[in-house]
Amino acid sequence: MRVPGRRALGYLLAGLALAGFSYALERFGLQPISLLEAGLLAMTPLALAAVGECLNEKAGVVNIGLEGILLITAVTGVWFAELFGNGTMGLIGGALTGALIGFALGAISVYGKADQIIAGMGLNIFALGFVPFLLVSLWAFPGIHLFPSELMVPRLITPWGQFSPVTIAAILIAVLAHLLLHHTVLGFRIKAVGEKPEAVDVAGVRVDWLRLFTSTLGGALCGVGGAFLPLGWFGGVVKEISAGRGFIALACVVFAGLEPLLALAAAFLFGFVDGLASAVAVTPGVKERIPFYFVSMLPYATTLVVVALVIGRRRFPRTVGRPYVRE
Amino acid sequence: MKRLPLPRPLIESLVTISIGLVAGALLMLLFDYNPVQAYRALFVGAFGSLEDILETLAFATPLMLTALTFAVGVRGGLFNIGAEGQMYLGAIGATFVAGLLPLPPGLHLAAATAAGMLFGALWAVPPALLKAWRGVHEVISTIMCNWIAFYLATYLAINFLAEPGRAERTAPALVTARYPVLTEDASLTAAIFVALAFCLVVYLYLWGTRAGYELRLAGENPDAARYAGVKGGKVILLSFAIGGLAAGLAGATQIIGRPPAWSLYATLGNVITLGFDGIGVALVGRNHPIGGVLAAVLFGALAHGGRFMEYHAGVLSELVRAINGLIVITLAVPELWMLARRRFSR
């Protein structure tokens, strides 16, 4: 694994592939710069959810309910935004809702010694039914809910294109999570609690509080991602707005082997494909040739292939997914 | 202490369902609905008359099968949530044979059913192989396959199977490929007997054959299974294959065993989420093929009665699915039972 020459070669090949790919796209009439914009937008919720889940799983708690959190916070985010008349307040509202769900799931994992996979799936199923109910209860309309466009989180306009400030925040959060995990005492404790909770317990550090902290933080970050979907990207809410992104974020986590920076890279890869799919679906000359349905499959198929290629080489914390029982 | 003459799993399942219903009532109160009115409409709607009970059974038919998919996965140590996509493909397979291939009566029905099961099983193969060869976690692979299946099934339904002049649905099943309707007043067909028979066969297979025993051993105690020489890859393939057959059959029953449509809507509206609903059904049924049948009747009642809840109390029927999720979360917490037992045994 640790051969620097091979790694450099890998980067070089990846760079060449990207350049060749961009050239091919230009030939097809797709603009690489608009693709980058779309890709970064699509990356943002994936990165936020995946980075939070990396920390959470490092501490030994698995949350496969990310999809449900994205779905619920997309709605509550818009509700908060309309309440305060401000998109940023919507993101904060999403973070609060996400934190609440993350805390609840953490509490039943830590204190209820729940089967975390089943509890997480329960959350997903709950969201599947709760969100349409919520849409009707809040706005008396079951289909799409559009909100005034001034509630959108404003984009930053730069010479290289338009970017959302949330995207920049997501990148910063990934870097901060990396620093937290590998350069602070709290980070060492988080890693230790995933590997050897009994040692952390003997050292006098609360295992339950650490795990509650990471799962609440993970929920909050995922909640920002969920609120970002309508408020920073789509401009409306539908009942299937998350469209499997919570599970793609889980794939990022697996791909990254719980490293926040690698999770960011994976989120960019999957986000780029997602952006590519949306770009292909609307580009004249291309959209007629490739049926919309196959373009829509692209993000999911890519996820499947990439995960199949990298998996097996990753190592996960010893107690991931298992409750800690003091002996 | 005098013990109730009921087995513990049954009591636990009933308590969990009650918790789910109470939580659902709280949600209704939170949003200014009347839960008493809603639940009365739901239960009268589900069980109020013979026709309603038969309709409840019609709703239960696909659920017992998608529950079986999840249950066989868990029995083999897998978290197979791919019933949704496998069911879409099963519906496509059944639609193709039933709607477009003219075959003699009898054979046609059997062929359409078999095609549905086969398509479902085929769609279960990629996640099974990825798990066996590459160790890809089945939660990720099955969900990705579900989404791919959604677009694939929509594409096939619109482009190859559509009824001429009616783009919103596929060509309906020919009369020779339809399960007989049991009564004029409900949409229950003989497909329920096929579903019940399939559940029974899988039960006998898992508890009565060597391969079934190996599958359950691998799920319960992987180390012991490995020591006993059970091949992990074989168990994975077997568990996914049985699950795929069940989910495919579930999809088929919605096409060739469910009036009045006898066809697949282009939005997949008449099959969508039946696979996910099966997860809750399986868990309430304790991941047992026969328990799943009983739980399916209950969830069928919620699904059928939920529509009356929408008429009479204005509560969107999808709330039933939220209650399903809450029940699953409650079932995930073993401490609840410890706590309850400690309190009551004192």
Side-chain angles (χ1 to χ4, degrees), chain B residues 36 100 115 123 128 177 198 202 221 256 284 291 320 340:
Chain B
V36 178
L100 301 182
W123 198 250
F198 190 80
V202 171
N221 192 339
I256 55 178
V284 169
V320 165

Side-chain angles (χ1 to χ4, degrees), chain A residues 3-17:
Chain A
V3 186
R6 266 180 68 183
R7 182 174 285 186
L9 190 69
Y11 285 132
L12 191 68
L13 283 176
L16 279 175

Side-chain angles (χ1 to χ4, degrees), chain A residues 68-95:
Chain A
I69 298 182
L70 285 178
L71 209 51
I72 293 172
T73 54
V75 180
T76 58
V78 171
W79 186 77
F80 271 93
E82 290 188 344
L83 190 68
F84 291 96
N86 181 325
T88 313
M89 285 309 291
L91 294 178
I92 294 171

Side-chain angles (χ1 to χ4, degrees), chain A residues 111-115 117-118 122 126 129 132-134 137 239 243-244 248 251 293-294 296-297 300 304 308-309 311, chain B residues 31 33 79 130 134 136 140-141 143-144 147-148 151-152 154-155 158 316 318 321-322 325-326 328-329 332-335:
Chain A
Y111 298 115
K113 316 254 184 296
D115 185 319
I117 300 280
I118 292 181
F126 170 75
F133 171 76
L134 201 57
S137 302
K239 67 177 182 186
I248 296 183
Y293 305 97
F294 290 100
S296 308
M297 288 176 201
Y300 311 108
L304 205 55
L309 287 178
I311 212 153
Chain B
F31 290 97
Y33 295 106
F79 202 84
L130 285 173
R134 303 287 309 164
V136 175
I140 293 175
S141 60
I143 288 279
M144 294 307 131
W147 280 97
I148 297 171
Y151 288 110
L152 183 62
T154 317
Y155 172 75
I158 291 175
L316 199 70
E318 255 125 336
R321 196 158 290 119
L326 291 169
V328 170
I329 296 175
V333 188
E335 282 296 280

Side-chain angles (χ1 to χ4, degrees), chain B residues 307-327:
Chain B
R307 301 188 301 178
F308 294 92
M309 189 172 80
E310 200 163 317
Y311 288 140
H312 296 296
V315 181
L316 199 70
S317 59
E318 255 125 336
L319 185 70
V320 165
R321 196 158 290 119
I323 293 173
N324 184 344
L326 291 169
I327 291 172

Side-chain angles (χ1 to χ4, degrees), chain B residues 289-315:
Chain B
I290 309 301
V293 171
L294 298 177
V297 173
L298 193 117
F299 279 89
L302 290 180
H304 173 51
R307 301 188 301 178
F308 294 92
M309 189 172 80
E310 200 163 317
Y311 288 140
H312 296 296
V315 181

